[in-house]
Amino acid sequence: MIRTAQLTLVQDWDKTFLQSDLVNHSKVTFVNRYGITLAADLYIPKAGEGKLAAIAVCGPFGAVKEQCSGLYAQTLAERGFVTLAFDPSFTGESGGQPRYMASPDINTEDFMAAVDFLSLHERVDAERVGICGICGWGGMALNTAALDTRIKATVVSTMYDMTRVNANGYFDAEDSEEARYAKRAAMCAQRLADLEAGEYALGGGVVDPLPADAPKFVADYYDYYKTERGYHPRSLNSNGGWNVIGCESFINQPILCYSNEIRSAVLVMHGDAAHSCYFGRDAYANMVEGNAYANNKELLIIDGASHTDLYDGGESGAIPWDKLEEFYRTYLG
């Protein structure tokens, strides 16, 4: 393995979910092809023997592995998979400078580097590796599945297409040359302001205090990121957010251009009460259009589930764990 940088990792259990006594947990590091060392939580089922199927998990966009990606990873490990929940480059306990930046390329590479790590792990069958992307990392997962032929199965949960929302705004309400020009001009001005200030300005995480007239999805984000339910001190969304220019390149770089060339299995799941559901529906439609390998693609719409219900289940236990296990068992064996 290529040498990793020395990271300071918290060894105490500081997750937003309870630790399971059915799995062994450890902190690990691995390096991506840009030389950035990533921090991750590795979960290995205590009951498993020999080489097992494995799943790399990441998301939401602006969250850390101590939040819902860790919950997904631990729960899937309880069901017999080796799992890896990792912090993306520039965030959480992972390396990369400057902090709180995002990149369609580097963040796709983060997923591929996680696949590298799992493929070479002694407890993993390298022919049985999958990924799971949540929220903004759902789009990254699809992009990775289109690029990485080693991936046998991908789950996309309550996804955002971060390039689409940055370029077009919510519900494509800002899909015009003028609107994009204004965004580009604002970003360029911010670059100079940051250089003059000697630091990068933060864009702000989830709004706090919550305005009385906030849209429901904003209130849902507040309920997850700003309360005991999901708050974490290293989470961008729980605190100061991304740098203002952190997602600048997303405006010009759509990530799902070749999703209809994905040959491996994909499950896209979304709640029908989620403001973001159109991302999942459209991504699925684009993925199967003209795809000679459409038979192993599935869209699962969950009745009554909001966007954040698929972070941790919400009050109704909305995450279909049995379905996820069945999907991964079918395509990872």
Side-chain angles (χ1 to χ4, degrees), residues 19-309:
Q19 186 170 13
S20 172
D21 60 3
L22 300 178
V23 304
N24 290 316
H25 162 265
S26 61
K27 287 287 189 73
V28 298
T29 60
F30 56 97
V31 65
N32 69 17
R33 67 184 172 91
Y34 291 100
I36 299 171
T37 298
L38 303 181
D41 287 300
L42 180 67
Y43 298 89
I44 299 178
K46 291 181 178 179
E49 296 182 357
K51 291 184 178 291
L52 304 174
I55 304 162
V57 189
C58 195
F61 196 78
V64 288
K65 64 188 181 303
E66 287 75 21
Q67 295 171 306
C68 68
S69 62
L71 173 64
Y72 272 66
Q74 179 176 262
T75 305
L76 289 168
E78 288 178 326
R79 292 168 179 254
F81 302 95
V82 173
T83 60
L84 185 76
F86 64 91
D87 285 331
S89 295
F90 314 113
T91 68
E93 292 186 300
S94 286
Q97 292 290 338
R99 305 303 289 168
Y100 313 143
M101 293 293 187
S103 162
D105 181 19
I106 295 175
N107 293 151
T108 298
E109 165 60 21
D110 289 343
F111 247 136
M112 295 185 73
V115 173
D116 293 340
F117 176 87
L118 288 173
S119 297
L120 295 175
H121 195 277
E122 62 182 2
R123 291 299 311 277
V124 173
D125 181 345
E127 297 301 316
R128 300 162 63 200
V129 176
I131 62 174
C132 175
I134 306 158
C135 186
W137 279 81
M140 296 296 179
L142 281 183
N143 196 45
T144 308
L147 185 61
D148 195 329
T149 59
R150 300 168 299 176
I151 294 169
K152 301 302 189 297
T154 299
V155 169
V156 173
S157 178
T158 195
M159 73 163 281
Y160 265 51
D161 176 346
M162 294 305 301
T163 53
R164 180 177 178 182
V165 75
N166 274 278
N168 299 347
Y170 281 110
F171 309 106
D172 300 324
E174 301 168 1
D175 185 10
S176 71
E177 179 184 348
E178 288 299 320
R180 278 186 288 277
Y181 184 87
K183 292 178 184 181
R184 293 172 184 134
M187 291 286 186
C188 289
Q190 185 64 50
R191 293 172 69 98
L192 299 182
D194 289 346
L195 289 172
E196 290 177 341
E199 61 183 2
Y200 292 100
L202 295 177
V206 172
V207 62
D208 187 16
L210 183 70
D213 60 348
K216 182 181 183 304
F217 77 93
V218 174
D220 288 343
Y221 280 137
Y222 180 92
D223 186 56
Y224 182 79
Y225 285 109
K226 292 294 189 176
T227 70
E228 291 185 0
R229 173 184 170 192
Y231 176 83
H232 196 277
R234 288 192 295 276
S235 168
L236 281 68
N237 293 338
S238 290
N239 298 284
W242 297 92
N243 294 332
V244 174
I245 65 168
C247 299
E248 183 176 14
S249 65
F250 283 73
I251 297 173
N252 276 24
Q253 299 183 38
I255 57 175
L256 302 182
C257 293
Y258 298 106
S259 65
N260 66 342
E261 296 181 6
I262 298 174
R263 298 188 179 190
S264 56
V266 179
L267 170 65
V268 177
M269 67 178 192
H270 229 117
D272 68 353
H275 68 286
S276 54
C277 192
Y278 72 102
F279 288 124
R281 291 184 186 275
D282 289 356
Y284 173 79
N286 293 334
M287 178 175 56
V288 299
E289 182 178 4
N291 192 333
Y293 299 86
N295 289 340
N296 58 1
K297 311 295 189 293
E298 183 177 353
L299 175 65
L300 175 63
I301 300 298
I302 301 168
D303 291 343
S306 71
H307 183 83
T308 56
D309 283 342

